[in-house]
Amino acid sequence: MTSLLIHGGRIIDPDSGTDATGDLLIRNGCIEAISTDSPLPRDADSSIDADGCLVTPGLVDPHVHLREPSNGQPHRETIAIGSRAALAGGFTTICSMPNTQPPPDTADRIKDLVSRGKMANAARVYPIACGTMNRAGEEATDVQKLIDAGAQGISDDGDGVACDAVMDTILQRVAAADTCFMQHCQDPTMTLGAAMNAGALAVRMGLGEWPPAAETSMIERDVLLNGKHGARYHAQHLSCSKSVDVIRKARAEGQTVTAEASPHHLLLTEEACEGYNTIAKVNPPLRTSQDIDAIKEGIAQGVITILATDQAPHPPQAKETDFASAAFGMVSIECALPLYKRALVDEGVIDWSRLIAMMTCEPANLVGLPEAGRLRMGGPADVTLIDPDLEWTIDSSTFLTTGRNCPFDGWSVSGRALASIIAGEVRWALPGARMEQTAIAGH
Amino acid sequence: MLPIARGEAPATDDLSGKTVATLFFENSTRTRLSFTMAGKRVGAEVLDLNASTSSSSKGETLLDTALNVQAMGVDGLVLRCSASGGPQLVAKGVRIPVINAGDGRHEHPTQGLLDALALQEHFGRKSLDGLTIAIVGDVGSSRVARSNAQSLTALGADVVLTGPPSLVPEAMAELVTSTENTRGSVRVEHELDGILGSIDAIMMLRVQFERHGGLGIPSDYVEQFGLSVDRAARLRDGAPVLHPGPINRGTEIDPEVADGPRSLILDQVTCGVAVRMAILKGLLSRNS
């Protein structure tokens, strides 16, 4: 591989505080030069005219379900498919959640996932390992061994760790291994049979009620436990206002606590479940407009610092059933960027630079990837090109993921990734976009 | 329809040549037999699919079962299932009418209609304007209470959902949202003795121990919310007592009250046949 010049784009690299029009030169897979005052020489082997585009670090999604391995489960999604879908959303780095069958609770399984991710040759895939054996919540895993094998964080995602003593042990091990713990903060004892947000709508529909306290109480417990350990503790997919308050307080006290927000918790309320719409069934559930406002306020104040899709593909039969039996989860990784833009930039909650930070260096820092999520001179050239104003209609039938369970299907949005570049190679480009030729040439 | 249901008028053959299938994925005696009777009284053939021995126990989905029954040429489906929203799911997937005979905790619409009819008959008027009707017991788990809240308020009654806080959440007061066809109101009360003298009818619900595993039902439930002879005596003169059945004598209602002069319990059952006759006739004769 040789050199690629991306010229004339608005270069946003929140980690270095860059936000200016300029040129970016990539050589042998690494970033060789960034210039925002004078143009770089046009003598690269190939070049991309990025006029009108954002040139950002490759986007990072710390919360993706790739469903592999799925022994005995009728999943269609694979690491290869899911990591390719990530590229189509502009994501060059993703973390895979451990609720697979079997779950990655041993070093060998983590090594296997790392090699499957490399074989896929799409977005970079970093596995998150289980916090407890078989994700059963009973016996803490050997965190250090899992990290040494290539895991980039610890979680029992899909389930919160309910037992205080087990959680205490995990946090102690996570701190010792200098990694992060990502909590699916939902107390399972409070959500038995629950299917949607607790409230009048659930009562009317005769569905099991999911109280916000199931989330907030677990975060409070975790913050309390972690005060002693100081581990990097991360609360996944905040859904309710009180949880934002708990995170705000913990961060103000100097605790090493972060939190993420997901597209659906920023744009949809429980009303999406009306008519027993199973596509809107997700864990934690969609809540109210007051909760959305609180999450946005938390983002504006820097209380919530990370955006994550919780991409959760399901085969049709998992959703084409009654609401209580339907699977939890939705897909949005291929349209997350314009959704975040709509919820946060268009509404003036944060600017583009902050949005990109929440999708790049912030999640990269959480999972301990110093090379990801930033444009560092000499570092690997993972770059995303974005047309911030491209108008398009979300059509889940065109998604690369096998999941069609997208509640945003048919939405008209603006902003889209045009190309995803990994180590200087255009691994994906939007069909018909000007970068497509470079992509073909690059292969 | 009521004279026919009471056996005072001859059955009709309005639906002759039509076939109705009952698909019950939950146990039921009363509702299923009531639909069977109703179908026969309007001239339809009624087939009962015993869901526990059907393919559903082999993993077939609700909709696939319904599609198969439709493909056999059945003209209408009566469906009961434990999933809230199950009949809606099926109705979207099939061409023939689907009648909800109870879905989870959500709705039991024919019960809501038959209770309204029983009250109309009792009070001798179509409108229930100005009447206050208490529904007492495990309201939160009750599809009967939800459907009654709709039907009774639509006819102008004010509904008081009554029971301990663990069984009657405050959000139940927001059950009825449509103001278009609704004249009555819904409110929640946690004490029965305080309202006995100010209600015009009382409906007792069965305590659904099987839905709770006993959790949430206070140990003094019967003492606080059972309709004893003593409590019944404190009701307004002539205020009727209803119960959707099956009743637990001595638990939510004393046998003397269930069998006493205030009781509309068996009238409800007769009204059920009449209401279901009307529903079957209305839906299936249009669908010819």
Side-chain angles (χ1 to χ4, degrees):
Chain A
M1 206 194 299
T2 47
S3 60
L4 169 66
L5 179 70
I6 300 169
H7 57 85
R10 175 181 167 190
I11 300 173
I12 299 179
D13 178 34
D15 187 55
S16 65
T18 307
D19 184 354
T21 301
D23 296 350
L24 173 79
L25 179 65
I26 299 166
R27 191 181 302 280
N28 295 331
C30 295
I31 294 172
E32 185 169 281
I34 297 173
S35 174
T36 55
D37 35 36
S38 57
L40 292 173
R42 299 284 170 96
D43 57 0
D45 299 327
S46 55
S47 65
I48 292 174
D49 176 3
D51 181 36
C53 292
L54 310 183
V55 179
T56 73
L59 304 180
V60 179
D61 189 341
H63 192 155
V64 178
H65 296 273
L66 297 175
R67 309 299 192 201
E68 183 182 343
S70 64
N71 300 348
Q73 289 181 342
H75 276 299
R76 302 171 176 184
E77 194 82 344
T78 62
I79 290 172
I81 292 169
S83 57
R84 189 104 199 116
L87 287 178
F91 295 91
T92 58
T93 295
I94 57 177
C95 295
S96 61
M97 285 299 143
N99 59 338
T100 53
Q101 197 52 250
D105 55 6
T106 62
D108 284 347
R109 286 183 186 154
I110 287 295
K111 284 178 190 156
D112 176 50
L113 288 178
V114 170
S115 82
R116 291 188 202 211
K118 287 197 172 125
M119 295 252 294
N121 201 39
R124 300 182 196 263
V125 179
Y126 294 96
I128 302 299
C130 301
T132 65
M133 295 307 290
N134 205 29
R135 292 177 59 255
E138 289 162 6
E139 183 195 347
T141 50
D142 190 332
V143 171
Q144 187 64 58
K145 272 198 182 141
L146 294 166
I147 297 302
D148 292 345
Q152 213 60 44
I154 301 295
S155 177
D156 267 1
D157 183 46
D159 292 304
V161 177
C163 174
D164 302 350
V166 173
M167 190 61 208
D168 193 51
T169 303
I170 294 171
L171 287 169
Q172 179 250 317
R173 290 180 185 178
V174 164
D178 190 22
T179 183
C180 65
F181 183 81
M182 304 158 112
Q183 181 76 289
H184 181 104
C185 19
Q186 301 297 325
D187 178 350
T189 64
M190 291 185 75
T191 58
L192 291 172
M196 66 174 288
N197 184 39
L201 186 58
V203 164
R204 204 150 59 230
M205 291 172 73
L207 292 171
E209 296 183 65
W210 194 298
E215 175 174 303
T216 310
S217 65
M218 186 170 271
I219 301 175
E220 282 198 300
R221 189 266 327 243
D222 290 347
V223 166
L224 181 75
L225 293 176
N226 197 40
K228 181 172 69 178
H229 303 297
R232 295 208 300 279
Y233 171 84
H234 177 71
Q236 296 179 305
H237 39 49
L238 292 197
S239 73
C240 58
S241 62
K242 291 244 167 31
S243 299
V244 182
D245 294 340
V246 174
I247 299 286
R248 182 184 292 112
K249 183 163 173 285
R251 287 173 66 89
E253 288 167 358
Q255 294 231 38
T256 48
V257 170
T258 55
E260 74 192 27
S262 305
H264 44 279
H265 290 126
L266 286 166
L267 288 163
L268 300 171
T269 65
E270 61 178 356
E271 277 148 43
C273 301
E274 292 242 41
Y276 299 94
N277 175 23
T278 57
I279 299 297
K281 185 180 178 188
V282 64
N283 173 358
L286 303 175
R287 302 213 188 258
T288 68
S289 54
Q290 288 87 345
D291 293 303
I292 289 180
D293 291 345
I295 292 168
K296 285 182 180 169
E297 188 187 22
I299 287 171
Q301 294 169 338
V303 170
I304 299 168
T305 55
I306 289 169
L307 296 169
T309 63
D310 190 9
Q311 165 90 349
H314 287 292
Q317 68 271 17
K319 286 289 192 179
E320 289 166 5
T321 180
D322 70 271
F323 200 92
S325 311
F328 291 103
M330 37 186 67
V331 294
S332 65
I333 203 166
E334 292 171 65
C335 53
L337 182 66
L339 295 173
Y340 294 139
K341 183 203 170 205
R342 179 184 187 137
L344 300 173
V345 178
D346 292 351
E347 295 199 18
V349 177
I350 51 173
D351 60 14
W352 265 110
S353 181
R354 183 61 196 153
L355 175 66
I356 297 303
M358 294 182 73
M359 299 178 75
T360 56
C361 53
E362 294 276 16
N365 291 346
L366 169 70
V367 296
L369 291 169
E371 306 245 274
R374 62 208 85 213
L375 303 175
R376 197 174 55 77
M377 221 60 73
D382 290 6
V383 180
T384 299
L385 300 181
I386 296 164
D387 181 336
D389 302 311
L390 183 68
E391 295 190 354
W392 60 295
T393 300
I394 297 168
D395 176 1
S396 66
S397 71
T398 64
F399 282 172
L400 299 184
T401 175
T402 57
R404 295 291 172 265
N405 47 309
C406 178
F408 307 105
D409 198 33
W411 283 34
S412 294
V413 291
S414 80
R416 192 169 194 178
L418 298 180
S420 297
I421 298 169
I422 293 185
E425 178 196 352
V426 181
R427 287 240 174 127
W428 173 87
L430 182 67
R434 57 193 125 148
M435 294 77 191
E436 202 185 3
Q437 289 313 308
T438 317
I440 292 162
H443 268 84
Chain B
M1 299 293 170
L2 257 179
I4 303 175
R6 289 183 181 129
E8 296 164 3
T12 73
D13 60 355
D14 295 327
L15 294 185
S16 95
K18 299 281 185 180
T19 306
V20 178
T22 63
L23 268 75
F24 277 57
F25 294 90
E26 266 189 347
N27 289 334
S28 157
T29 312
R30 183 181 344 264
T31 305
R32 179 184 204 129
L33 189 57
S34 177
F35 269 108
T36 304
M37 271 310 279
K40 289 183 192 291
R41 288 281 162 96
V42 290
E45 192 168 347
V46 183
L47 304 175
D48 291 334
L49 179 84
N50 187 343
S52 64
T53 58
S54 79
S55 300
S56 65
S57 55
K58 299 170 191 163
E60 186 173 69
T61 67
L62 198 59
L63 182 56
D64 280 329
T65 304
L67 284 167
N68 275 274
V69 173
Q70 172 180 266
M72 290 172 202
V74 163
D75 301 292
L77 281 177
V78 178
L79 178 65
R80 165 170 291 188
C81 60
S82 58
S84 294
Q88 288 85 333
L89 176 75
V90 169
K92 276 185 225 159
V94 301
R95 297 184 313 274
I96 55 178
V98 177
I99 299 163
N100 183 356
D103 63 321
R105 297 189 292 179
H106 178 227
E107 288 272 8
H108 192 353
T110 59
Q111 183 77 41
L113 291 170
L114 77 86
D115 289 333
L117 178 60
L119 287 163
Q120 286 176 323
E121 287 293 306
H122 174 83
F123 288 103
R125 51 183 166 115
K126 293 238 183 259
S127 158
L128 302 180
D129 276 342
L131 297 177
T132 301
I133 300 164
I135 302 177
V136 183
D138 189 358
V139 174
S141 307
S142 174
R143 54 194 175 209
V144 173
R146 282 174 175 76
S147 287
N148 267 286
Q150 304 290 341
S151 65
L152 301 183
T153 55
L155 292 171
D158 295 319
V159 172
V160 188
L161 303 172
T162 310
S166 59
L167 300 182
V168 191
E170 298 298 332
M172 297 293 292
E174 296 170 59
L175 265 186
V176 179
T177 50
S178 161
T179 49
E180 212 170 294
N181 306 313
T182 308
R183 300 197 301 279
S185 66
V186 179
R187 71 173 211 267
V188 167
E189 289 286 345
H190 297 306
E191 221 188 292
L192 178 56
D193 285 323
I195 62 166
L196 282 174
S198 60
I199 55 178
D200 301 294
I202 186 166
M203 179 183 300
M204 305 306 296
L205 299 176
R206 188 170 63 89
V207 182
Q208 304 194 51
F209 290 102
E210 75 273 15
R211 282 191 198 270
H212 295 275
L215 288 172
I217 300 176
S219 54
D220 61 350
Y221 178 82
V222 173
E223 227 170 277
Q224 296 295 322
F225 295 98
L227 189 56
S228 60
V229 174
D230 174 52
R231 276 209 178 92
R234 280 184 272 148
L235 288 167
R236 284 180 174 171
D237 283 350
V241 173
L242 296 91
H243 193 305
I247 63 174
N248 291 325
R249 287 168 181 265
T251 304
E252 71 271 3
I253 189 166
D254 272 357
E256 295 87 339
V257 181
D259 302 332
R262 293 177 184 273
S263 173
L264 292 187
I265 296 173
L266 296 176
D267 302 270
Q268 289 172 270
V269 176
T270 309
C271 286
V273 175
V275 156
R276 288 163 183 140
M277 286 167 64
I279 288 168
L280 288 171
K281 191 181 157 193
L283 287 172
L284 269 68
S285 46
R286 257 188 285 148
N287 189 46
S288 46

